[in-house]
């Protein structure tokens, strides 16, 4: 069975105020063409179909167009909700859409109930594990501690239990939306840390033939059977070095996997430039970036006059301007944003305690901070679902 694995469409998202709906529509067309020309047997979409719980109408219309085009091909599609989606909204009409061969899996309680597809070698069971917000699903899965590894592990136990009751030789594919250990993150993914931990081990997917992952925006191979497709478009300048693609996966009769990357259309390349303003304007080696979307980091010791206007004369698609004078990290003039770069909410809170009190929090206080941060994040997730 030949699968096309994609994820993280983020329909409705902009790139530094640039509307990407046209580029997202071009990607949908490319996906449909790939399905047709490469004789794909099933499409899997591993979450974050939309960029937010209540997407703009134009994004909903594009999704509707995508569903119709996929259904017209007669090729089954299995989709799950991600942490950016409203599972309840995305899942509306799932029972009816099933009849058209579009299988939306947004209910955690259905983790052990697969979509069964067939090829010449027998059945393939597709298990859809939507994004599992630990605070919201821990009771469903009967786990004591609300953590990603616990709830995802319990969901996979249901998958393995169902698979064990099926005919010998039944092959299996799991769709999941999670941060798996070994994956490389970028700046455009929403933090899903709980209790100071975001990642789960790849071993949680043991026992299935292929795990089609979503959430991280870079295409990645964690093992031959556990892969991220990444997002089809770049959604932050941290993805400037990404090769955006989908996985074309062949699942053989014995469950062995071979995979090939299929490149996605690039609406415009990204470039991250760094140097003084005069150097960026004069360096002939940068001529290849003049048509790119540009993030310029200026290292001038003193902020130059009209930097954006001057940059856009040479780089008309400059979208982001960062000031980072070359200074020692402990220089008091280093910006607040630079001092906080790469630090978690927990670390920032603990640093604040140390700053105002003269000593950092003890073990109990650190646990209180962590529980409070988790509670706020869980409350946000609940409110998003209720919208």
């Amino acid at each position: 069975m030949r699968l096309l694995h994609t994820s993280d469409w983020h329909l409705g998202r902009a790139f530094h105020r640039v509307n990407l709906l046209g580029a997202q529509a071009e990607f949908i067309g490319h996906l449909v063409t790939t399905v047709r020309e490469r004789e794909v047997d099933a499409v899997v979409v591993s979450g974050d179909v939309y960029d937010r719980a209540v997407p703009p109408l134009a994004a909903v219309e594009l999704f509707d167009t995508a569903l119709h085009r996929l259904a017209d091909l007669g090729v089954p599609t299995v989709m799950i909700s991600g942490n950016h989606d409203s599972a309840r909204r995305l899942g509306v009409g799932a029972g009816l859409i099933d009849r058209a061969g579009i299988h939306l899996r947004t209910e955690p309680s259905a983790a052990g109930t697969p979509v069964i597809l067939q090829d010449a070698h027998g059945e393939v069971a597709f298990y859809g594990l939507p994004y599992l917000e630990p605070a919201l699903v821990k009771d469903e899965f009967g786990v004591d501690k609300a953590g990603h590894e616990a709830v995802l592990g319990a969901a996979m136990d249901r998958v393995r239990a169902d698979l064990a009751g099926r005919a010998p030789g039944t092959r299996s594919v799991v769709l999941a939306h999670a941060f798996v250990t070994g994956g490389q993150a970028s700046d455009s993914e929403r933090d899903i840390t709980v209790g100071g931990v975001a990642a789960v081990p790849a071993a949680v997917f043991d026992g299935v033939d292929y795990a089609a992952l979503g959430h991280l925006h870079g295409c990645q191979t964690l093992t031959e059977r556990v892969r991220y497709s990444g997002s089809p478009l770049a959604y932050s300048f941290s993805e400037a070095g990404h090769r955006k693609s989908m996985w074309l996966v062949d699942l053989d009769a014995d469950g062995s996997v071979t995979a090939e990357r299929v490149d996605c259309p690039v609406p415009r390349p990204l470039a991250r430039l760094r140097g003084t303003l005069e150097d960026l304007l004069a360096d002939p080696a940068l001529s290849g970036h003049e048509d790119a979307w540009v993030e310029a980091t200026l290292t001038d010791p003193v902020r130059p006059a009209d930097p954006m206007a001057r940059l856009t004369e040479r780089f008309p698609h400059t979208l982001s301007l960062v000031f980072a004078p070359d200074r020692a990290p402990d220089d008091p003039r280093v910006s607040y944003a630079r001092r906080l770069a790469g630090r978690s909410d927990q670390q920032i809170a603990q640093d604040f305690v140390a700053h105002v009190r003269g000593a950092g929090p003890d073990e109990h206080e650190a646990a209180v901070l962590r529980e409070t941060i988790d509670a706020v994040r869980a409350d946000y997730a609940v409110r998003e679902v209720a919208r």
Side-chain angles (χ1 to χ4, degrees):
M1 182 173 286
R2 173 164 286 184
L3 318 176
L4 187 63
H5 167 200
T6 178
S7 72
D8 295 273
W9 294 358
H10 288 278
L11 300 182
R13 187 164 186 156
F15 184 77
H16 291 268
R17 300 177 302 282
V18 174
N19 189 315
L20 292 179
L21 273 172
Q24 291 173 332
E26 184 179 358
F27 160 70
I28 296 298
H30 171 68
L31 181 148
V32 170
T33 299
T34 301
V35 171
R36 183 175 58 250
E37 294 183 350
R38 299 302 299 270
E39 299 181 335
V40 170
D41 298 306
V43 177
V44 295
V45 186
S46 300
D48 282 352
V49 174
Y50 291 122
D51 188 56
R52 56 182 186 265
V54 185
L57 179 59
V60 177
E61 291 173 338
L62 179 55
F63 180 56
D64 182 61
T65 297
L67 293 184
H68 278 85
R69 296 184 69 180
L70 288 168
D72 287 345
L73 291 174
V75 175
T77 299
V78 185
M79 294 183 171
I80 60 171
S81 50
N83 62 302
H84 280 248
D85 299 309
S86 165
R88 290 172 63 185
R89 289 176 183 271
L90 187 64
V92 168
L96 290 173
I97 296 172
D98 256 8
R99 301 177 188 178
I102 308 292
H103 307 283
L104 293 173
R105 293 295 181 262
T106 63
E107 290 292 336
S109 59
T113 305
V115 175
I116 301 296
L117 303 179
Q118 288 192 319
D119 65 7
H121 305 290
E123 293 187 343
V124 181
F126 288 76
Y127 297 90
L129 310 186
Y131 172 67
L132 302 175
E133 174 60 46
L136 302 184
V137 303
K138 65 182 183 69
D139 292 337
E140 164 64 33
F141 291 106
V143 298
D144 295 329
K145 187 176 181 181
H148 288 289
E149 184 174 356
V151 297
L152 191 55
M156 281 300 302
D157 286 343
R158 293 189 184 183
V159 169
R160 284 184 283 264
D162 180 83
L163 195 57
R166 297 192 174 273
T170 299
R171 289 156 293 161
S172 54
V173 175
V174 165
L175 289 72
H177 197 87
F179 189 167
V180 178
T181 303
Q184 297 297 312
S186 59
D187 293 343
S188 53
E189 298 123 7
R190 184 180 293 167
D191 181 27
I192 59 171
T193 301
V194 173
V197 178
V200 300
V204 76
F205 299 107
D206 286 353
V208 298
D209 294 310
Y210 185 70
L213 301 183
H215 180 57
L216 299 184
H217 288 181
C219 182
Q220 301 171 58
T221 301
L222 304 186
T223 74
E224 287 303 304
R225 297 184 182 276
V226 181
R227 299 172 188 263
Y228 283 100
S229 66
S231 60
L233 299 172
Y235 292 119
S236 72
F237 277 103
S238 66
E239 300 169 52
H242 287 190
R243 173 188 163 196
K244 295 301 184 181
S245 57
M246 304 175 284
W247 284 114
L248 192 68
V249 177
D250 285 319
L251 187 62
D252 292 340
D254 62 355
S256 60
V257 169
T258 56
E260 171 192 346
R261 290 179 72 175
V262 178
D263 290 332
C264 296
V266 179
R268 191 180 297 278
L270 307 186
R272 306 184 90 176
L273 310 182
R274 184 183 181 92
T276 66
L277 178 59
E278 295 303 328
D279 286 345
L280 296 185
L281 294 177
D283 188 349
L286 301 181
S287 59
H289 301 307
E290 291 174 357
D291 194 44
W293 280 323
V294 168
E295 177 188 71
T297 299
L298 300 184
T299 60
D300 302 75
V302 177
R303 184 173 301 207
D306 300 322
M308 181 61 88
R310 295 173 66 189
L311 276 169
T312 53
E313 289 180 3
R314 183 179 187 189
F315 306 103
H317 304 288
T318 301
L319 299 181
S320 176
L321 187 58
V322 180
F323 295 98
D326 286 331
R327 294 169 179 159
D330 58 352
D331 190 312
R333 295 172 297 172
V334 171
S335 73
Y336 184 67
R338 285 187 66 193
R339 292 200 300 273
L340 296 186
R343 301 186 69 75
S344 68
D345 291 342
Q346 178 79 13
Q347 291 170 321
I348 293 169
Q350 292 185 183
D351 288 349
F352 176 76
V353 172
H355 174 74
V356 299
R357 195 170 66 182
D362 59 27
E363 185 175 333
H364 171 70
E365 292 168 332
V368 170
L369 285 172
R370 184 161 48 249
E371 290 168 4
T372 303
I373 291 169
D374 289 346
V376 170
R377 205 181 59 77
D379 178 67
Y380 174 79
V382 170
R383 286 186 285 109
E384 281 286 280
V385 169
R387 290 178 67 187

